[in-house]
Amino acid sequence: MDFFCRVTLALMVITFLSAALSQAHPGFNFGWGGHGGISGGYFGLFPEFYQSSCPQVDDIVVSVLEKAIAKEPRMAASLLRLHFHDCFVQGCDASVLLDDSTGIASEKRSVPNRNSIRGFEVIDEIKAKLEEACPHTVSCADILALAARGSTVLSGGPNWVLPLGRRDSRSASLSGANNNIPPPNSTLPNLVTFFERQGLDEVDLVALSGGHTIGVARCTTFKQRLYNQNGNNQPDATLDRTYYYGLKSVCPRSGGDNNISPLDFASPARFDNTYFKLILWGKGLLTSDEVLWTGNDRRTMQLVKNYAGDEGLFFEQFANSMVKMGNIRPLTGYNGEVRKNCRRIN
């Protein structure tokens, strides 16, 4: 047998084995030609992952989201935040959804998540409907990614092609949640460091911060700005005065920690670029919002200005950065599992 025939036969065998494996494990794919690294493709992670095993997955997710967001528009932001808080801990593996159990200390108890992270019941409902339609097929990690995209679109924001095929972790990291999620009083250098740890750059930082165009924050997350920003019992000098007095009425010096204020008071339920305009006017709610403009970093300042002036540009980069964030250390192939109940391992 000559060389050409041997190569042809080898390729035929590979094609046959790949097809056989795909039939035995719908949605599984070798991902020939994929690239490693956070910005490239991943073994088993691609948009058509459920094309044969659960083609109705997105319709089911969106149908649940439509009802949940119509009932409570704030839920869109909560689900977007849930995906963010998942990916930044030990990759996009749905570890944030796990409850306390033997051997698992839930990330829900961490400082960034305690008394503030929400949306678990919506994820539970999506999972239950998917288990009815496509048993033991769609991972909780993919549900988080799909819910984040759906919530953005239903709030008026951009859509994007979403790589799928993540698997669910069998562990959580309470310490990781405490140490890897950027706090709301972060300085700009701290924010850059938090994002760099995940393989994300300053463009991703500013674009993903734009997710604060929807949702609210608790008084405890911005109280320092109002009363003691620099340890001198004075407010943050970068705050617009009128905005400052309005926030004081919502967030008193003593108590009221769970009182809420919109991150974008001009259009709190609509995904748009108003968030960036407010930052330019000294009306960013959190320190971590305003420092994108006041942190003396020419690049972040220019990005804020660009996104404030061009909503389409912001939408395009937000979509790109969401895909990039969603690709942080996913479990694929035979790693992890597909949980039947998102709150506990199988």
Side-chain angles (χ1 to χ4, degrees), residues 7-8 20 37 56 66 83 103 108 138 143 166 179 211 214 222 226 249 272 274 276-277 289 323 330 332 346:
V7 170
T8 302
Q56 67 271 51
E66 284 175 334
H83 184 40
K108 298 173 185 179
V138 182
I143 290 172
R166 300 165 190 80
N179 295 321
I214 54 176
F222 58 87
L226 304 181
S249 68
D272 54 26
T274 307
F276 295 104
K277 296 176 183 177
D289 296 321
V323 171
T332 57
N346 294 338

Side-chain angles (χ1 to χ4, degrees), residues 98-343:
L98 290 170
D99 288 337
D100 281 317
S101 64
T102 304
I104 290 179
S106 177
E107 294 170 17
K108 298 173 185 179
R109 292 194 280 115
S110 68
V111 173
N113 293 335
R114 190 169 56 237
N115 300 323
S116 68
I117 201 162
R118 316 165 65 245
F120 300 109
E121 295 78 11
V122 177
I123 299 299
D124 290 341
E125 184 179 350
I126 293 171
K127 181 61 174 174
K129 289 187 180 300
L130 286 171
E131 284 298 312
E132 288 178 15
C134 320
H136 203 63
T137 300
V138 182
S139 69
C140 301
D142 275 346
I143 290 172
L144 285 175
L146 287 161
R149 179 180 67 173
S151 294
T152 301
V153 173
L154 290 172
S155 300
N159 200 349
W160 57 88
V161 177
L162 179 61
L164 297 166
R166 300 165 190 80
R167 308 256 295 173
D168 301 324
S169 70
R170 298 187 180 96
S171 66
S173 177
L174 178 59
S175 62
N178 277 322
N179 295 321
N180 293 331
I181 297 171
N185 61 349
S186 294
T187 64
L188 185 56
N190 284 344
L191 285 173
V192 171
T193 298
F194 275 107
F195 275 69
E196 283 181 345
R197 281 184 203 164
Q198 308 298 339
L200 302 173
D201 58 24
E202 284 184 302
V203 176
D204 302 311
L205 164 61
V206 179
L208 292 173
S209 294
H212 284 176
T213 183
I214 54 176
V216 301
R218 294 184 301 146
C219 164
T220 188
T221 63
F222 58 87
K223 181 176 285 192
Q224 176 183 321
R225 291 193 78 196
L226 304 181
Y227 302 106
N228 191 26
Q229 177 70 344
N230 297 307
N232 57 359
N233 292 315
Q234 296 296 315
D236 185 344
T238 68
L239 266 174
D240 172 83
R241 292 295 94 181
T242 303
Y243 185 49
Y244 161 69
Y245 287 117
L247 291 176
K248 282 183 71 176
S249 68
V250 174
C251 185
R253 183 183 290 269
S254 178
D257 283 0
N258 290 321
N259 295 349
I260 58 175
S261 182
L263 289 152
D264 166 359
F265 67 84
S267 53
R270 180 162 184 79
F271 200 101
D272 54 26
N273 69 333
T274 307
Y275 164 83
F276 295 104
K277 296 176 183 177
L278 293 174
I279 288 176
L280 292 177
W281 301 333
K283 297 177 181 179
L285 181 60
L286 306 177
T287 297
S288 58
D289 296 321
E290 199 61 50
V291 294
L292 300 177
W293 177 247
T294 61
N296 295 317
D297 182 310
R298 288 184 180 178
R299 192 172 192 204
T300 64
M301 292 172 74
Q302 189 61 51
L303 288 165
V304 169
K305 198 171 181 180
N306 290 348
Y307 296 155
D310 188 341
E311 186 172 82
L313 178 65
F314 163 50
F315 278 16
E316 180 182 356
Q317 187 54 55
F318 182 82
N320 291 340
S321 293
M322 283 296 291
V323 171
K324 193 173 172 183
M325 185 186 80
N327 284 354
I328 296 174
R329 299 187 305 280
L331 298 171
T332 57
Y334 291 110
N335 296 312
E337 63 183 15
V338 175
R339 291 185 214 136
K340 188 173 183 180
N341 182 326
C342 290
R343 295 175 180 263

Side-chain angles (χ1 to χ4, degrees), residues 5-122:
C5 291
R6 288 198 301 272
V7 170
T8 302
L9 180 60
L11 289 172
M12 289 173 63
V13 170
I14 289 172
T15 302
F16 171 77
L17 290 174
S18 179
L21 184 58
S22 294
Q23 290 176 355
H25 302 275
F28 191 93
N29 187 287
F30 277 112
W32 305 117
H35 302 282
I38 193 164
S39 61
Y42 273 91
F43 174 81
L45 200 66
F46 57 103
E48 303 82 13
F49 191 86
Y50 298 110
Q51 190 167 6
S52 61
S53 59
C54 194
Q56 67 271 51
V57 57
D58 197 50
D59 292 338
I60 291 172
V61 171
V62 171
S63 69
V64 175
L65 292 178
E66 284 175 334
K67 288 185 290 184
I69 295 170
K71 182 179 178 182
E72 185 188 8
R74 177 187 169 193
M75 186 55 68
S78 297
L79 292 168
L80 185 58
R81 182 173 184 249
L82 203 54
H83 184 40
F84 177 91
H85 280 217
D86 180 45
C87 291
F88 265 59
V89 177
Q90 52 182 31
C92 305
D93 62 359
S95 61
V96 72
L97 301 177
L98 290 170
D99 288 337
D100 281 317
S101 64
T102 304
I104 290 179
S106 177
E107 294 170 17
K108 298 173 185 179
R109 292 194 280 115
S110 68
V111 173
N113 293 335
R114 190 169 56 237
N115 300 323
S116 68
I117 201 162
R118 316 165 65 245
F120 300 109
E121 295 78 11
V122 177

